[in-house]
Amino acid sequence: MAYRKTPAEVRRLEAAREHLIACATSVVAEVGWSQASVTAVADAAGIAAGSVYQHFPSKAALAVEVFRRAAGREVEVLGEVLAAPGDPVDRLGRGIRVFARRALENRGLAHALLAAPAEPAVGAERLDFRRRYRALFAAVVREGIAEGALPEQDGEITAAALTGAVGEVLVDPLGSPGGPTTEALLDELTALALRCAGAP
Amino acid sequence: MAYRKTPAEVRRLEAAREHLIACATSVVAEVGWSQASVTAVADAAGIAAGSVYQHFPSKAALAVEVFRRAAGREVEVLGEVLAAPGDPVDRLGRGIRVFARRALENRGLAHALLAAPAEPAVGAERLDFRRRYRALFAAVVREGIAEGALPEQDGEITAAALTGAVGEVLVDPLGSPGGPTTEALLDELTALALRCAGAP
DNA sequence: GGAAAGTCTGAATGGTGGTTCACTCCTTCC
DNA sequence: GGAAGGAGTGAACCACCATTCAGACTTTCC
């Protein structure tokens, strides 16, 4: 064996991979999955198209990685807010607010995660993502019911509705033009979500 | 001029076009937009691929027509229910029920209209479709507010949320397997929607 | 320094699917 | 009946991308 990867070399490769993922994420957030060709992504990362295949076996694999990273961050943040100690209804409101604020702050990415047309592999990932969101919301709703703060209801359905409602409000051009300010939109959305769950 | 279209001929062409649209709609409902190739649609209609271009200038034009027809029917039905005379809150509940029931009865089509990946032209049509749905719901919500039956709120946002909520609950695999019955799901969804709008 | 073993490149390859077009078949009208 | 012109056909065409691969360039290790 005349070649063993030196730690520096390993780090360099790792960094290149991360850089590629980061650039791909930007491209996707800007132009959507369908326009994010291998060439476009490679160009953005400053490498040749062929080099993408040093890091990922296929375009789909890269896309899935991009999705997982971004979605994972979101789920994690939401999970922390919802799992904090305190009144379930308060936490639900704060969770909605965080979910919505983050989406509004990075609309492109939010759109990519929630709605933008994508290849099947990413679509499957997205289902999982929504399911995880749903599970988080459902848990808090159930807690609220147990405490008597929320009326009897199917937590799963309410959770799905919350995800859908926030997604719909955000994805469509409601928040951009002459519409309400971000803060007003967040207030309205939070109030709506609490009504939706049946909070007084 | 040695050829003027006879009425019978015109009717025959019209029928062929309608037949093509109907078959295309079925194909789309069954396999989604992305799998509905020109060849697949033509096969379903029993004509050659090239013949599609006798009726439509491009695949996108056919897709848009298919979408418009189906979406138009839905908007019309919902519009009738929501515009009926009577208590706004009642009408809202009935509207949600109709929206949801129709979607559950033809899941494939509902999925195609609401969520399935599609080419940009169809995507644009879909935005319009959702906007029309929103406008219908928003009008009823505003009526409810004016009558004092619903609390103060931004009708547009509530309407968007209702659309998103119903869509999310329906599109994802919530209603198919061991989940609740259709009727139970409809009840739950209606209750949720009314809570969402702030009905007592 | 130089051989071995990578990494990187980007033009060529291949598959997919919408669109075209030369041709056949059918309807109209004299 | 037959000329004129539209409708229908389906194989060929073409554009678009993901993917590959032979060669150029780099790094490792003796």
Side-chain angles (χ1 to χ4, degrees):
Chain A
M1 162 199 337
Y3 185 68
R4 195 175 338 167
K5 278 175 188 160
T6 203
E9 189 68 358
V10 169
R11 241 180 289 118
R12 196 182 60 78
L13 282 177
E14 186 62 23
R17 190 185 140 100
E18 292 301 317
H19 181 236
L20 173 58
I21 295 173
C23 291
T25 305
S26 298
V27 172
V28 166
E30 266 168 46
V31 303
W33 301 100
S34 54
Q35 306 275 355
S37 65
V38 170
T39 318
V41 167
D43 282 357
I47 61 177
S51 301
V52 169
Y53 293 84
Q54 301 272 335
H55 303 287
F56 295 95
S58 69
K59 180 194 165 149
L62 168 56
V64 164
E65 184 67 23
V66 165
F67 190 99
R68 283 215 180 118
R69 296 277 185 110
R73 279 196 296 275
E74 297 306 313
V75 168
E76 198 178 343
V77 170
L78 181 64
E80 275 172 23
V81 173
L82 289 182
D87 177 37
V89 174
D90 279 359
R91 280 186 279 146
L92 181 59
R94 269 200 289 276
I96 292 287
R97 201 171 269 275
V98 165
F99 176 7
R101 172 169 277 128
R102 290 180 65 86
L104 286 172
E105 276 168 3
N106 197 341
R107 283 183 102 77
L109 193 60
H111 192 250
L113 290 180
L114 291 169
E119 57 211 302
V122 170
E125 227 32 63
R126 181 180 284 156
L127 279 185
D128 192 60
F129 172 54
R130 298 189 101 130
R131 223 167 279 136
R132 287 203 281 166
Y133 253 53
R134 243 176 18 211
L136 290 176
F137 281 127
V140 178
V141 169
R142 272 192 229 101
E143 267 188 73
I145 298 172
E147 287 193 11
L150 296 178
E152 205 54 48
Q153 63 192 285
D154 183 329
E156 280 294 319
I157 292 187
T158 303
L162 290 177
T163 317
V166 176
E168 177 84 10
V169 170
L170 295 171
V171 159
D172 265 10
L174 245 179
S176 10
T181 21
T182 301
E183 290 309 316
L185 188 61
L186 287 178
D187 288 344
E188 193 73 39
L189 209 45
T190 310
L192 177 134
L194 292 183
R195 282 201 308 272
C196 201
Chain B
M1 162 201 333
Y3 185 66
R4 194 174 338 164
K5 279 174 189 161
T6 204
E9 189 68 359
V10 169
R11 240 179 292 119
R12 196 182 59 78
L13 280 176
E14 186 62 22
R17 190 185 139 102
E18 292 302 316
H19 181 236
L20 173 58
I21 294 173
C23 292
T25 304
S26 298
V27 172
V28 167
E30 265 167 48
V31 302
W33 301 101
S34 54
Q35 307 275 354
S37 66
V38 170
T39 318
V41 167
D43 282 357
I47 61 177
S51 302
V52 169
Y53 294 84
Q54 302 270 337
H55 303 288
F56 295 94
S58 68
K59 180 195 164 146
L62 168 58
V64 164
E65 183 67 22
V66 165
F67 189 99
R68 281 213 182 119
R69 297 278 185 109
R73 277 196 297 276
E74 297 306 313
V75 168
E76 199 178 341
V77 169
L78 182 63
E80 274 172 23
V81 173
L82 290 182
D87 177 37
V89 174
D90 280 358
R91 281 185 280 146
L92 182 59
R94 271 198 288 278
I96 292 286
R97 204 171 267 275
V98 165
F99 177 6
R101 172 168 277 127
R102 289 180 66 85
L104 285 172
E105 274 168 4
N106 196 342
R107 284 181 102 80
L109 193 59
H111 192 250
L113 289 179
L114 292 168
E119 56 212 302
V122 170
E125 231 26 66
R126 181 181 282 156
L127 279 185
D128 193 59
F129 172 54
R130 298 190 100 130
R131 224 167 277 135
R132 289 202 282 165
Y133 255 51
R134 239 170 28 205
L136 290 176
F137 280 127
V140 179
V141 169
R142 273 193 228 100
E143 267 187 73
I145 298 172
E147 286 192 11
L150 297 178
E152 206 54 49
Q153 63 191 288
D154 183 329
E156 281 294 319
I157 292 187
T158 304
L162 291 177
T163 316
V166 176
E168 177 86 9
V169 170
L170 294 172
V171 159
D172 266 8
L174 245 179
S176 11
T181 22
T182 302
E183 290 308 315
L185 188 61
L186 287 177
D187 288 343
E188 193 73 39
L189 210 45
T190 311
L192 176 133
L194 293 183
R195 281 201 310 269
C196 200

